[in-house]
Amino acid sequence: QVQLVESGGGVVQPGESLRLSCPASGFTFSTHSMHWVRQAPGKGLEWVAVISYDGTYKFYAESVKGRFTISRDNSKNTLYLEMSSLRDEDTAVYYCAGDQVEKTIRGDAFDFWGQGTVVIVSA
Amino acid sequence: QSVLTQPPSASGTPGQRVTISCSGSSSNIGFDYVSWYQQLPRAAPKLIIYRNYQRPSGVPDRFSGSKSGTSASLAISGLRSEDEADYYCAAWDDSLRGWVFGGGTRVTVL
């Protein structure tokens, strides 16, 4: 079955950087768009970024544009999120999510989700 | 303030029908498909409706979705205690060039 396992979360200070990873299994990773979605404590879901199945297209939420970079390594079946210049408001559970429809540029829906990794930005 | 507007809460007794609205604009709901997600307490979200009204395999037919113009809705019929959760709508916004979520609706089974 589909499995997404996020890792790399932790406690960092404002201005620091962090890299999240999401190895995938149970489906053909290289033909599916992938997303990062976050949820601040006690808040709703916020989409962060999406990358097309081949890595050509990337879209970001305005709140992270210029600070976060989404990438993927299809040879390793792994999704990444490089986060820099972290702010207090970036504190959240970060989920990776995949789209069931194959070969889309920005995804069709968030069909499957990992369990999330916690990022805390605090001085 | 979310781009997609949902009521913060909804409730019903077991067996009742509950409907959750999701209001958007011509650049998101009016432009593309709507999907819905259920998030049980302390769990990751789960897709329950995609492409406006389609149900993934394994999702009970008590859950149904619809869309008209710039609004969408999720209906839960035959409400059960295990339906108590937060529900979110989502759509691609072509003006923002990104995905947007509704603020979420907490469903309580009385």
Side-chain angles (χ1 to χ4, degrees):
Chain A
Q1 74 279 21
V2 172
Q3 199 163 15
L4 301 173
V5 183
E6 303 91 337
S7 65
V11 181
V12 296
Q13 295 194 337
E16 291 188 339
S17 300
L18 208 55
R19 187 200 202 197
L20 306 183
S21 299
C22 178
S25 60
F27 66 106
T28 308
F29 181 76
S30 61
T31 61
H32 294 265
S33 295
M34 296 294 296
H35 302 263
W36 286 99
V37 177
R38 67 184 181 183
Q39 187 169 33
K43 303 296 185 182
L45 301 174
E46 180 188 16
W47 172 79
V48 173
V50 62
I51 185 168
S52 61
Y53 66 99
D54 60 356
T56 301
Y57 297 92
K58 303 175 185 181
F59 300 94
Y60 297 91
E62 204 60 43
S63 58
V64 307
K65 207 171 284 185
R67 300 188 300 122
F68 290 12
T69 301
I70 189 171
S71 63
R72 64 190 299 158
D73 185 337
N74 285 347
S75 69
K76 296 181 179 179
N77 290 346
T78 302
L79 176 71
Y80 302 100
L81 184 68
E82 195 77 47
M83 304 185 293
S84 64
S85 303
L86 282 162
R87 305 167 180 168
D88 291 352
E89 55 265 35
D90 295 320
T91 294
V93 176
Y94 284 74
Y95 296 101
C96 68
D99 176 20
Q100 180 180 252
V101 178
E102 290 191 310
K103 298 190 176 181
T104 63
I105 289 174
R106 40 78 167 178
D108 191 68
F110 307 87
D111 291 80
F112 34 86
W113 300 67
Q115 286 306 300
T117 187
V118 176
V119 172
I120 298 174
V121 184
S122 174
Chain B
Q1 197 79 342
S2 302
V3 173
L4 303 181
T5 301
Q6 297 180 234
S9 64
S11 62
T13 56
Q16 276 192 328
R17 175 184 170 94
V18 167
T19 302
I20 301 168
S21 61
C22 176
S23 177
S25 69
S26 58
S27 63
N28 42 64
I29 293 179
F31 177 82
D32 205 0
Y33 296 121
V34 176
S35 49
W36 289 89
Y37 303 84
Q38 177 193 60
Q39 187 175 31
L40 297 171
R42 293 171 299 282
K46 172 190 171 185
L47 175 69
I48 56 172
I49 295 289
Y50 66 100
R51 292 194 174 184
N52 304 330
Y53 62 86
Q54 304 278 7
R55 270 189 317 275
S57 174
V59 174
D61 60 6
R62 302 185 295 102
F63 293 90
S64 62
S66 64
K67 179 184 124 171
S68 179
T70 59
S71 293
S73 62
L74 172 72
I76 310 172
S77 58
L79 195 65
R80 304 175 68 160
S81 58
E82 58 259 41
D83 299 331
E84 200 160 88
D86 293 327
Y87 293 84
Y88 297 89
C89 57
W92 171 261
D93 191 301
D94 209 50
S95 292
L96 296 175
R97 302 299 284 168
W99 283 85
V100 290
F101 281 96
T105 298
R106 177 154 295 178
V107 169
T108 302
V109 181
L110 301 171

